[in-house]
Amino acid sequence: MSGSQCFENPPKLSPGSGCGAGTVQQLGGLNTYVTGSGPPDSKSAILLISDVFGYEAPLFRKLADKVAGAGFLVVAPDFFYGDPIVDLNNPQFDREAWRKIHNTDKGYVDAKSVIAALKSKGVSAIGAAGFCWGGVVAAKLASSHDIQAAVVLHPGAITVDDINEIKVPVAILGAEIDHISPPEDLKRFGEILSAKLKNDCLVKIYPRVSHGWTVRYNVEDEFAVKSAEEAHEDMINWLTKYVKRDE
């Protein structure tokens, strides 16, 4: 992950994990926002992986609840162990040091622990959706059969090597205005994926939006809200198609 766009439009966080319809529980060794019905009511789960601003961001929690409303158990872990990016104006904040501590390889290992915990509870189908930093983790998860499908939204720095490793159905949702994952890169990824996954891949570029638009939008901007909601629906439709089990 690199570039200033990852840090633009920070959300107003909700200290104390107080927002959302779900609860915070321990799962796979991580504090995790859990919403929706799990086994035996639903054996399909979605792992939501946040951007650098963490799992307490209100719009991220709101989206988790929306995905749960589609019939999934949704889990959104605190991959940053209580240390999301909060105050970018703090002169003592060292972005590079933060990135080294909270790298996506560590996120991938933690995500696999969460997936194992879900399976131990009776979940039989799992999808992953990740945003920016979390998009890189979701792409790594898609390189194994630990999950059934993935959605990668305005990802951080993903490489061709990462794309070549993907084995499960994947949708990549990107912004027209994105210096980290520009449309031309995502379209190239789409060509690679189409050659091996055929119709089980999707690359969609949303016009007139910037990196982070799906979870860091201005709720008073009608176009921003509409663009975010379009991506949310596309994400849910993809996960429903490839992950949802007939209960």
Side-chain angles (χ1 to χ4, degrees):
M1 180 188 71
S2 61
S4 63
Q5 280 187 310
C6 284
F7 302 94
E8 291 178 357
N9 303 319
K12 292 182 179 179
L13 298 182
S14 179
S17 311
C19 73
T23 60
V24 174
Q25 305 173 21
Q26 277 279 317
L27 190 67
L30 298 177
N31 286 334
T32 302
Y33 179 71
V34 180
T35 182
S37 298
D41 296 326
S42 174
K43 294 184 179 180
S44 304
I46 303 302
L47 171 62
L48 281 192
I49 311 168
S50 76
D51 60 15
V52 297
F53 297 105
Y55 84 138
E56 290 184 333
L59 292 178
F60 179 70
R61 292 273 182 97
K62 181 180 179 180
L63 179 55
D65 292 339
K66 184 175 183 178
V67 177
F72 294 104
L73 171 67
V74 179
V75 297
D78 177 13
F79 286 104
F80 307 129
Y81 293 85
D83 183 35
I85 291 177
V86 177
D87 185 5
L88 291 170
N89 296 318
N90 182 352
Q92 296 181 330
F93 175 65
D94 186 334
R95 292 186 185 186
E96 292 308 314
W98 188 93
R99 285 169 167 159
K100 288 179 181 178
I101 295 170
H102 303 298
N103 61 77
T104 53
D105 288 338
K106 177 66 164 60
Y108 171 65
V109 172
D110 285 341
K112 287 175 75 72
S113 295
V114 172
I115 289 169
L118 285 170
K119 290 181 177 179
S120 74
K121 294 179 181 294
V123 170
S124 59
I126 300 171
F131 308 79
C132 186
W133 182 96
V136 179
V137 176
K140 291 177 184 290
L141 290 171
S143 69
S144 75
H145 291 286
D146 290 330
I147 61 173
Q148 275 59 57
V151 182
V152 176
L153 302 98
H154 43 85
I158 290 179
T159 66
V160 169
D161 287 342
D162 294 327
I163 295 299
N164 281 326
E165 292 297 319
I166 288 177
K167 296 180 176 65
V168 300
V170 62
I172 301 177
L173 310 183
E176 180 182 18
I177 307 162
D178 195 328
H179 306 305
I180 300 166
S181 290
E184 55 267 28
D185 286 359
L186 299 188
K187 290 175 183 177
R188 183 185 177 199
F189 295 164
E191 293 170 358
I192 296 170
L193 291 167
S194 293
K196 62 177 182 175
L197 297 177
K198 306 304 179 184
N199 294 325
D200 291 333
C201 63
L202 168 71
V203 171
K204 181 174 178 178
I205 309 299
Y206 296 75
R208 297 167 51 203
V209 296
S210 300
H211 183 88
W213 92 97
T214 65
V215 286
R216 303 203 300 266
Y217 55 92
N218 180 356
V219 296
E220 297 179 354
D221 182 328
E222 182 178 352
F223 177 77
V225 172
K226 182 178 179 181
S227 296
E229 290 180 344
E230 179 183 352
H232 298 164
E233 290 302 319
D234 290 339
M235 177 186 75
I236 291 171
N237 288 340
W238 187 265
L239 295 170
T240 298
K241 179 178 181 180
Y242 289 101
V243 181
K244 194 80 168 67
R245 291 283 194 255
D246 293 329
E247 310 296 345

